[in-house]
Amino acid sequence: MRPAHPAPHRPAAARLLLSALLVAAAPLATPLAEEGMWQPAQLPQLAATLKDRGLRLDPTRLADLHAHPMGAIISLGNCTAFFVSPDGLAVTNHHCAYSAIQYNSTEGDNLLDRGFVASSREAELFAGPGSRILVTVSVTDVTGEVLGGLADGLGGRERYQAIEDREKELVAACEKDPGHRCRVAATYDGMRYELVKQLEIRDVRLVYAPPGSIGKYGGDIDNWMWPRHTGDFSFYRAYVGPDGKPADPGKANVPYRPAHHLRLATRNLAAGDFVMVAGYPGRTSRHRLASEVESRFQWSYPILETLFKEWVEIIEAGGAADADAGLRYASRVAGLNNSIKNYQGMMEGFAKSDILARKQAQRRELEQWLEADAARKARYGPALKELDALVLRAQATRERGVYYEFLGRNSSLLGAARTLYRLAREKEKPDMQREPGYQERDLIRIRERLTRLDRTFAPAVDRAVWAHFIKRYAAIPADQHVGPFDAWFGIDGNTLEPARLEKRLDEMYAGTKLGDQEARLAWMDRSRQEIEKSDDPFLRLAVQLHDSDMALEEEEKTEDGLFQAARARYMEALSAFLASQGKPLYPDANSTLRVSFGKVQGSQPRDGLRYEPFTTLAGVLEKDTGEDPFNAPEPLLAAMRQGRHGRYAAPALASVPVNFLADLDSTGGNSGSPVLNAHGELVGLLFDGTYESIISDWDYIRDKTRAISVDIRYALWIMEQVGGAGHLLAELSVPGAGQERAGR
């Protein structure tokens, strides 16, 4: 499954902005491979290519966020979803709804195992604190507002603050429209900025989830693999207040009425057909330097793979001793296992790839192009050298970043304590001077995170994980240690006495009340002085770490400011260089709305191995062992054996298609994205990529990169056969729905 500033002197700023606009508006070179996660506004410039590939819609419609189909595409924050009915019914992946299913599960009623179908609107379940449906209202270019007037020689910290202040002003003005959430998104690595305005729906309810033996069929064994036979889909519904505006979760709320919803395909999807995917891909790094690629693949990924495996082992040991604890950490374990396989695939793909050599060759060609023109060399040369130096400097403290900032403080209770103390300090400032994430606009999200902790935390597991990573941290180079953290646990250089660590942890977990929701939330309203006087050990540690953590944050902000200037200039140079060769430059993914296109097709990842474009029900039967993770429900297996395909069979396959492949460009965040045919009709949900595609965060390999999607016919067939979902099929306008097996 698929695991986010005032410009150089006016003349320079004008040139930078002009370059950014040219990237977005100039006709793009053709023919074009299916590579690229394109912004909707770019699609009219791709009109000739899209028509040539088979699109039957007017490409200008795809640039209109208020028209069909783009108006139906929504974000869940970390995944994509889409509306499928005028009553706010939305579809996403089962693994995207996993935390909501987990939130509503107990030992006595494990919805992760048995699945869930709401028999009525009243029976739909709250998806949990922090659940969101975000409907994009507008995307506005604000490059001039963010970068206009920034001096070339501005220091890194000053540049960072200037950009942040301008972003906060833009967001504050945007959010004067109640019920909306706004953010400024950096595109082309800070060469361009966009203000994204989204309707924020806060009452999200779980409507339907297949049993885990369908939604996770194949489990971690099949994850990222082909052939695949996974029913990775679930349904939510968006609710708003009686006035039609976003509201806190409540019984008086009514279903949201979207302006648009997707319709089921009326045409049979087949190999070779044009398809496109619209969604919110998270992050790609296609434009990073060769040195950054090398560091990530040869240092970061191997380290993280090892650490995440250790993390999973500790959680699973805790879950074996306490079933409820295992349930609380089920979503975390699923995410960690997904990351582990992702890192393995990344490293294997890198070992077989020439990406490093191609990056190095492109850099040499770019430098030769700069050398050929004195003005180009003067403008871009210093930025390239600065970027090289910044990358090397950042790598010098990478152990601290992983072992302290990411894992060493990795206790849920310490995280809560640090949030509470930082909030108390930030609330002493005027709202516009607070750190983003701690402004008035953020308080509800902080409260939701602290509330949800009850369903994602178990003291014994939290303690075991944290103890392990503290020991890991103690072993990194001492010059990357953090003094107050060392002092708290008695770490001297690289020496940590196990008995002293255990004694300290015993005292902390026995002496805290932050594990109690009411006590935890009460601290949100306390002052800085009250927290500093507290004898709660986690709050005491948060206070002790604050100054050193703020010093690290200041270093990072200075570095980020310098990176922004250097990367933006590098992207400007790269854009101009590629334009001189008639080549387009698409932006890296940044969690904003994107569209990719391609066709349904298999691949030949290596000699003698062929991936066919579709899997069918026959493959489910062939894989099924009756034991997890290949244990589809017996009613489903019986329907397969009896050939009860009904209206969902594909003539060319003589069966119901289960999953299909397409050469769509995608990454994490695209999970749950609708796959549309040439007419804009729904044919599937993207949920994964093949093992050979994992490296696509960094590189698109046309002959091997393939996205895996659930065929919508399989989802509908499951809902009909497993039963209880007849009313939902009727809501989806499936012919004859509600009459066949609706109450079974």
Side-chain angles (χ1 to χ4, degrees), residues 579-654:
S580 72
Q581 301 176 332
K583 298 177 182 178
L585 178 69
Y586 59 85
D588 267 316
N590 65 348
S591 298
T592 59
L593 187 59
R594 301 295 179 90
V595 178
S596 301
F597 59 92
K599 65 180 179 180
V600 177
Q601 63 171 328
S603 67
Q604 187 169 349
R606 56 184 180 271
D607 184 50
L609 179 63
R610 172 71 187 173
Y611 288 171
E612 295 298 327
F614 285 93
T615 57
T616 68
L617 300 182
V620 179
L621 287 170
E622 290 168 354
K623 285 183 177 178
D624 207 275
T625 63
E627 297 181 1
D628 183 54
F630 299 104
N631 57 334
E634 182 54 38
L636 211 61
L637 295 174
M640 293 176 186
R641 295 188 190 101
Q642 296 165 17
R644 297 204 305 262
H645 301 160
R647 73 197 85 185
Y648 306 112
L653 301 173

Side-chain angles (χ1 to χ4, degrees), residues 70-77 79-83 88-91 132-136 198-199 201 236 238 256 258 278-280 593 669 671-674:
M70 301 306 290
I73 317 301
I74 53 181
S75 172
L76 301 179
C79 282
T80 303
F82 50 95
F83 290 121
L89 189 66
V91 186
R132 293 288 189 276
I133 281 179
L134 301 166
V135 184
T136 299
Q198 296 176 310
L199 186 73
I201 297 174
Y236 281 145
Y256 172 66
Y280 291 83
L593 187 59
S671 289
S673 295

Side-chain angles (χ1 to χ4, degrees), residues 153-175:
L154 199 63
R157 183 65 181 87
E158 292 78 12
R159 185 179 186 85
Y160 179 95
Q161 194 61 52
I163 290 174
E164 181 182 276
D165 289 345
R166 292 182 176 199
E167 289 178 345
K168 286 196 290 188
E169 290 173 2
L170 289 165
V171 166
C174 179
E175 291 184 353

Side-chain angles (χ1 to χ4, degrees), residues 195-361:
L195 178 65
V196 181
K197 181 178 181 180
Q198 296 176 310
L199 186 73
E200 183 182 43
I201 297 174
R202 304 191 300 276
D203 191 348
V204 182
R205 303 185 195 178
L206 181 66
V207 177
Y208 178 92
S213 54
I214 295 174
K216 286 190 67 178
Y217 190 81
D220 292 324
I221 296 173
D222 269 10
N223 191 21
W224 296 99
M225 306 304 287
W226 188 260
R228 198 71 174 273
H229 301 84
T230 307
D232 199 347
F233 71 98
S234 290
F235 286 77
Y236 281 145
R237 194 182 304 277
Y239 280 80
V240 292
D243 59 359
K245 297 178 181 180
D248 291 333
K251 291 183 178 180
N253 290 346
V254 298
Y256 172 66
R257 303 282 295 181
H260 299 281
H261 65 275
L262 299 183
R263 295 171 179 82
L264 302 176
T266 57
R267 300 162 177 84
N268 185 59
L269 183 69
D273 283 357
F274 173 94
V275 286
M276 57 185 170
V277 61
Y280 291 83
R283 297 283 170 180
T284 55
S285 303
R286 303 270 177 88
H287 305 309
R288 286 294 185 257
L289 303 182
S291 58
E292 294 176 283
V293 173
E294 187 172 28
S295 175
R296 188 65 65 89
F297 283 91
Q298 296 185 353
W299 189 85
S300 299
Y301 290 148
I303 291 292
L304 290 172
E305 181 200 6
T306 298
L307 294 173
F308 281 19
K309 284 180 177 178
E310 295 168 356
W311 198 344
V312 168
E313 288 174 2
I314 296 167
I315 294 175
E316 289 182 339
D322 180 350
D324 184 61
L327 193 58
R328 290 169 184 258
Y329 283 88
S331 183
R332 173 66 62 85
V333 168
L336 289 170
N337 279 326
N338 185 55
S339 295
I340 289 166
K341 199 159 190 177
N342 183 285
Y343 297 149
Q344 292 169 342
M346 288 278 194
M347 292 183 288
E348 186 173 323
F350 176 75
K352 297 177 180 179
S353 169
D354 63 346
I355 180 175
L356 200 57
R358 283 185 283 115
K359 286 276 185 185
Q360 292 165 341

Side-chain angles (χ1 to χ4, degrees), residues 388-435:
D388 288 336
L390 286 169
V391 168
L392 288 174
R393 193 183 313 164
Q395 291 173 358
T397 57
R398 59 191 181 185
E399 285 92 348
R400 185 183 68 198
V402 170
Y403 289 96
Y404 174 68
E405 296 178 55
F406 180 36
L407 296 173
R409 299 176 300 190
N410 192 16
S411 157
S412 295
L413 294 187
L414 178 59
R418 292 177 63 240
T419 295
L420 291 165
Y421 185 55
R422 181 70 181 273
L423 175 63
R425 294 184 66 118
E426 294 293 335
K427 285 168 70 174
E428 296 176 343
K429 307 173 186 176
D431 191 56
M432 289 298 289
Q433 293 179 23
R434 295 185 196 175
E435 184 71 14

